[in-house]
Amino acid sequence: MVGNAASKSTGTTQVFHLGVTGMTCAGCAGRARRALAAAAGVQSADVNLATETARVVLATPADLPHAVAALAQAGYPVREQTLEFDVAGLSCASCAPRVQAALDALPGVSAAAVDLALNRVRVQIVTDAVDPQALLEAGRRAGYALTARDAAQGDDPAARHTALATEHRRRALVAALIAAPVVLLEMGGHLIPAFHQFIGDTIGHRASWAIQGLLATVILFGPGRVFYRLGVPALRRGAPDMNSLVALGTAAAYGFSLVALLAPGLLPQAARAVYFEAAVVIVVLILTGRWLEARAKGRTGAAIAKLVGLQPRTARVMRDGAPQDVPIASLLVGDHVIVRPGERLPVDGAITEGRGRIDESMITGEPMPVIKTPGDPVTGGTVNGAGSLIFRATRVGRDTTLSQIIRMVQEAQGARLPVQALVDRVTLWFVPAVLALAALTVLVWLAFGPDPALSHALVAGVSVLIIACPCAMGLATPMSIMAGTGRAADRGVLFRKGAALQALSGVDVVAFDKTGTLTEGRPSVTGVTLAVGVERRDVLAAVAALEARSEHPLAQALCDLAARDGVAPGAVSDFTVHAGYGVSGTVAGHRVLVGSARLLAGEGVSIGALAPALAACAGAGQTPVCTAFDGSIAAVMAVADPVKPGAADAVAALHRLGLRVAMVTGDTEGAAQAVALRVGITEVAADLRPDGKVAALDGLRRGGRIAFVGDGINDAPALAAAEVGIAIGTGTDIAVEAADVVLMSGDLAGVVTAFDVSRRTLANIRQNLVWAFGYNVALIPVAAGALYPAFGVLLSPMLAAGAMALSSVFVVTNALRLQAGGRSAAPGGDAPGAGTPHTSAAHDPA
């Protein structure tokens, strides 16, 4: 798995995703972010409370220890894990220091210890900051072969949240069982006068208080100790958080009660009462709220968990001439992996032996298995339905397609949207303000409150401390992002850049590329018109020779025609790419041009007698490919590319969303208009080079913000220039890298899904923020006693604790509504993946 401390290079900088512990509220996230930002070498930092991660941009990988130390000093240490490797080649005591030094030198390695007796090394790393492959490579460079003793797949957020939920549930249940007698003894007497009399006549009220105090001590120093363990150090650092509020509130109620029990003479007669039940119920309710919250958080991470589940933990490889089962972390590029029927492929590779039917629905969403034979590429996470295969691993570790998908989803789920800035400004001062307000509340009640003023002051002050909920504010945005992007990923839409989630909701115009986007991208030649005196075989040999150097669909269609006619490609020299126009070269002694009419016109070649054929292509909505020999027109070939089945439905759906839809293509006006007519687009800009597409977007921008959908190399500038770039995942690597959103398959319904998820997520965020801010604004004054003068109502600390616990649960549960109705792109619930991209020719006319 690509876990919570995955790293990647961005130009001269390094980006790390660190798992952060100890954060319980928005104030924690803000302090962790400020601590990171102040660390040496940190260029920028964002902290996400929902995912419990920090995204850190470092000047160099060597600066990672500074960031880790800054978090630890702030009280939010990073998650770490220990990996074990067997070491081959250890022969003496001097070997151990060499292995240890090689591993310690890697950024993200906290410590390495070599056991010479067992030929084993234990490496402690910042969770997934180091790819296990890098550890293997470091050992190899030092002269020692390392083999992982476990799958070393890193941190699993879903499993972590499940474990956390289990722990909170256990604590809540234990606390509830112990608290029940406390509540019964104290509240039972208030609710039932006869019970109050019964206690007085039997054990006595003083003994009842003593029993309550004993049980409260067990709860506060048992299940409730977590609030003091985290909250008190935060107070000492001058950075109080939600744990600090709970610790202060429960300690105040408990301490006051102890004084009333053990030294009642220190208190006025009217104020001699105990509040043990308030302290213990606060602990029970908040632990219950955290249990429900952790459970819900685990559900929002279902998309990641599903993707991680697609990757086997072990692989069967040929080692020393025999098959061996090894952890996936031990796989190296070049290893020959054996896959039996029904098994998932562990990594990406190319088949060397065997034939199988591979279920690639996680990539394409298509349910029909694909037959794979030697030489064909295969993708990790796909399923071998029938037949045994042996393939050579070409991409392992974090380089696999599945790992890249996981990284994209994690990037999106950990994104910080612009709307979060308001929350950050408020939460920066929220907890200190609550502490000040609680102190002010106590003073006001002591000065102006009715008797018993001290008791009223205590109740109001504790209620203010407990009811304030920075958690709800901190979770409002990230939980919605996690749920929204998770649902999108489950439906084959990946938000590579989280900010696109917000930007997409403000888009007014959607512009589509044509070839490979609105059309299938698998064209075929429908006709060839030759100039007088030109032989078909000569044209096909020359065209196939040039186009064989490209894997673009148009090029492949031309090569396929030559193959069907039994014509072998000629030899090429002086091959040249004319960006946006076509290609040229020397074949069989002739200077050959292949491409658009614009290419020939630019080279001074007249279409002449073949002009009618060119016009006929445009009229039929076909793409003409012209060929010239030695400055004279030789042939015009008509290439047709069928429209995708769902294109018209997708365009209609976008219109229903109130969006303008346009086509921006490099193909001819006639071909573009023919496709536009079939899919329902009325605005068309055709005959454009890549830079012309950017100019066309500038023209469309007068109608509002733009999203551009494309798949080819020549679409990359437009994808980057649009406010939101949406790339077809089966397109080129360059297009995907330039995009903000990636559709895992070529189904354009994904465009509609992206807009739907964006709008629903932003609406969900607004609901959460209204609730989080409204809750605190409305109930903190009530807790302080604002209703007492008019209605004689003073909020109980127990009710305050219940309201606070439920506020966070409400935010998380509301975010989970985004996952309702989601469907998997793959039959059987498999999560989608990125397609294996192909390379696009530079002369793509569309």
Side-chain angles (χ1 to χ4, degrees):
M1 167 187 173
V2 178
N4 286 354
S7 65
K8 65 177 182 180
S9 296
T10 304
T12 58
T13 62
Q14 191 89 1
V15 180
F16 283 87
H17 287 244
L18 308 175
V20 183
T21 64
M23 296 193 301
T24 57
C25 67
C28 298
R31 282 185 285 274
R33 184 174 64 254
R34 291 191 293 278
L36 280 172
V42 175
Q43 298 191 348
S44 67
D46 286 322
V47 176
N48 188 298
L49 176 63
T51 60
E52 297 173 343
T53 59
R55 183 182 187 275
V56 189
V57 180
L58 303 177
T60 67
D63 292 316
L64 180 59
H66 302 310
V68 172
L71 283 171
Q73 187 174 359
Y76 309 105
V78 299
R79 279 192 290 275
E80 293 189 329
Q81 67 181 128
T82 301
L83 307 179
E84 284 194 4
F85 298 88
D86 290 324
V87 187
L90 292 177
S91 57
C92 64
S94 64
C95 295
R98 283 195 288 271
V99 174
Q100 183 170 319
L103 297 174
D104 280 335
L106 293 176
V109 173
S110 302
V114 178
D115 187 328
L116 190 61
L118 296 177
N119 286 348
R120 188 176 302 169
V121 60
R122 293 171 59 89
V123 188
Q124 186 174 350
I125 65 171
V126 176
T127 302
D128 283 345
V130 184
D131 188 342
Q133 298 296 324
L135 298 173
L136 301 181
E137 182 62 23
R140 187 190 62 77
R141 287 197 302 269
Y144 305 91
L146 272 60
T147 303
R149 292 185 56 81
D150 54 46
Q153 296 207 347
D155 181 53
D156 183 347
R160 189 176 69 253
H161 284 305
T162 299
L164 188 61
T166 301
E167 177 64 18
H168 285 319
R169 178 177 178 270
R170 183 187 64 80
R171 287 177 176 169
L173 290 176
V174 170
L177 288 173
I178 301 174
V182 178
V183 176
L184 180 64
L185 287 171
E186 183 62 26
M187 301 306 295
H190 290 295
L191 297 175
I192 306 174
F195 185 73
H196 180 79
Q197 183 66 36
F198 174 75
I199 292 176
D201 293 342
T202 52
I203 62 175
H205 294 297
R206 180 68 55 179
S208 171
W209 285 7
I211 294 171
Q212 293 177 44
L214 178 63
L215 294 176
T217 301
V218 173
I219 291 175
L220 294 183
F221 290 91
R225 182 165 53 94
V226 62
F227 300 116
Y228 298 92
R229 180 172 55 83
L230 298 175
V232 173
L235 277 172
R236 289 174 181 164
R237 292 192 300 269
D241 59 8
M242 188 193 123
N243 291 301
S244 304
L245 297 180
V246 176
L248 285 173
T250 54
Y254 176 75
F256 183 92
S257 302
L258 281 183
V259 172
L261 173 65
L262 302 177
L266 298 177
L267 300 174
Q269 180 67 35
R272 294 174 186 173
V274 295
Y275 297 93
F276 291 122
E277 86 288 352
V280 299
V281 171
I282 286 169
V283 170
V284 172
L285 290 176
I286 294 177
L287 285 175
T288 301
R290 290 193 174 181
W291 163 37
L292 297 175
E293 182 183 317
R295 259 183 48 174
K297 280 184 177 180
R299 288 173 60 192
T300 60
I304 294 288
K306 192 178 294 185
L307 288 168
V308 172
L310 298 180
Q311 189 175 49
R313 296 183 65 85
T314 61
R316 172 162 290 197
V317 299
M318 296 297 296
R319 295 275 172 88
D320 301 323
Q324 299 180 21
D325 288 331
V326 301
I328 193 172
S330 295
L331 286 179
L332 299 172
V333 171
D335 275 342
H336 284 77
V337 183
I338 302 170
V339 183
R340 291 166 291 194
E343 292 183 335
R344 286 194 183 273
L345 280 64
V347 293
D348 298 354
I351 294 178
T352 58
E353 295 182 35
R355 173 187 172 94
R357 298 173 62 86
I358 307 296
D359 178 358
E360 295 186 329
S361 56
M362 61 157 280
I363 302 172
T364 63
E366 295 295 333
M368 294 300 296
V370 179
I371 296 176
K372 297 283 186 175
T373 57
D376 289 338
V378 289
T379 305
T382 57
V383 179
N384 179 31
S388 294
L389 299 174
I390 298 179
F391 70 91
R392 178 183 177 275
T394 56
R395 291 195 290 186
V396 299
R398 292 198 177 119
D399 293 331
T400 65
T401 298
L402 185 57
S403 293
Q404 291 169 11
I405 295 168
I406 294 172
R407 275 203 298 275
M408 279 194 274
V409 175
Q410 288 178 327
E411 281 273 349
Q413 293 197 337
R416 183 171 178 268
L417 302 190
V419 71
Q420 184 71 24
L422 171 64
V423 180
D424 292 342
R425 287 195 296 271
V426 173
T427 55
L428 175 63
W429 300 105
F430 184 82
V431 174
V434 169
L435 291 174
L437 183 58
L440 179 62
T441 298
V442 171
L443 293 176
V444 170
W445 274 97
L446 289 176
F448 304 105
D451 286 332
L454 185 57
S455 293
H456 286 154
L458 173 69
V459 170
V462 170
S463 294
V464 169
L465 289 173
I466 297 302
I467 204 165
C469 190
C471 290
M473 291 189 290
L475 292 172
T477 298
M479 290 305 299
S480 295
I481 294 172
M482 284 185 67
T485 54
R487 184 189 183 197
D490 199 38
R491 299 176 67 181
V493 179
L494 298 185
F495 285 85
R496 287 191 66 250
K497 300 171 185 175
L501 193 64
Q502 182 170 341
L504 203 59
S505 66
V507 162
D508 304 290
V509 183
V510 183
F512 285 89
D513 170 49
K514 184 180 77 68
T515 302
T517 302
L518 290 170
T519 64
E520 292 284 2
R522 293 191 295 270
S524 60
V525 179
T526 60
V528 178
T529 304
L530 301 171
V532 176
V534 175
E535 293 292 333
R536 179 184 174 99
R537 294 185 63 85
D538 295 338
V539 170
L540 295 183
V543 169
L546 293 174
E547 298 295 355
R549 302 212 172 187
S550 169
E551 295 178 5
H552 183 270
L554 285 184
Q556 190 61 47
L558 298 169
C559 292
D560 288 345
L561 176 62
R564 287 199 302 270
D565 280 20
V567 177
V572 181
S573 61
D574 302 325
F575 179 80
T576 304
V577 174
H578 302 267
Y581 292 113
V583 295
S584 66
T586 301
V587 181
H590 297 288
R591 177 64 176 169
V592 181
L593 301 172
V594 180
S596 66
R598 289 171 296 170
L599 172 64
L600 272 62
E603 296 291 327
V605 178
S606 172
I607 299 297
L610 296 188
L614 194 68
C617 287
Q622 298 171 330
T623 301
V625 177
C626 302
T627 304
F629 286 174
D630 299 326
S632 299
I633 186 70
V636 172
M637 287 170 280
V639 182
D641 188 7
V643 173
K644 289 182 177 177
D649 291 339
V651 171
L654 293 174
H655 280 139
R656 287 194 295 272
L657 292 175
L659 298 166
R660 286 174 55 203
V661 182
M663 179 194 295
V664 177
T665 178
D667 210 341
T668 63
E669 182 73 25
Q673 290 290 354
V675 172
L677 181 64
R678 292 185 60 185
V679 299
I681 294 176
T682 56
E683 296 183 64
V684 177
D687 288 313
L688 300 174
R689 293 187 62 190
D691 54 351
K693 291 187 177 184
V694 175
L697 294 186
D698 291 336
L700 291 170
R701 193 169 277 114
R702 287 191 290 270
R705 296 169 62 85
I706 292 180
F708 179 77
V709 187
D711 75 320
I713 286 177
N714 64 337
D715 293 326
L719 288 166
E723 277 76 9
V724 180
I726 303 176
I728 305 297
T730 51
T732 67
D733 282 320
I734 293 176
V736 169
E737 286 299 318
D740 305 294
V741 182
V742 179
L743 310 183
M744 290 298 90
S745 68
D747 187 356
L748 294 181
V751 178
V752 183
T753 296
F755 276 96
D756 175 63
V757 168
S758 173
R759 294 184 178 189
R760 286 167 54 90
T761 300
L762 266 293
N764 194 269
I765 288 173
R766 286 190 289 269
Q767 293 163 5
N768 282 348
L769 290 176
V770 167
W771 167 264
F773 283 102
Y775 161 87
N776 285 289
V777 169
L779 292 189
I780 288 178
V782 173
L787 298 181
Y788 191 86
F791 304 100
V793 175
L794 192 60
L795 188 67
S796 163
M798 292 186 291
L799 294 177
M804 190 276 283
L806 289 176
S807 66
S808 294
V809 174
F810 173 88
V811 166
V812 176
T813 305
N814 187 50
L816 282 173
R817 292 191 308 113
L818 290 170
Q819 293 183 333
R823 63 176 179 81
S824 172
D830 286 346
T836 306
H838 61 265
T839 302
S840 176
H843 67 280
D844 177 11

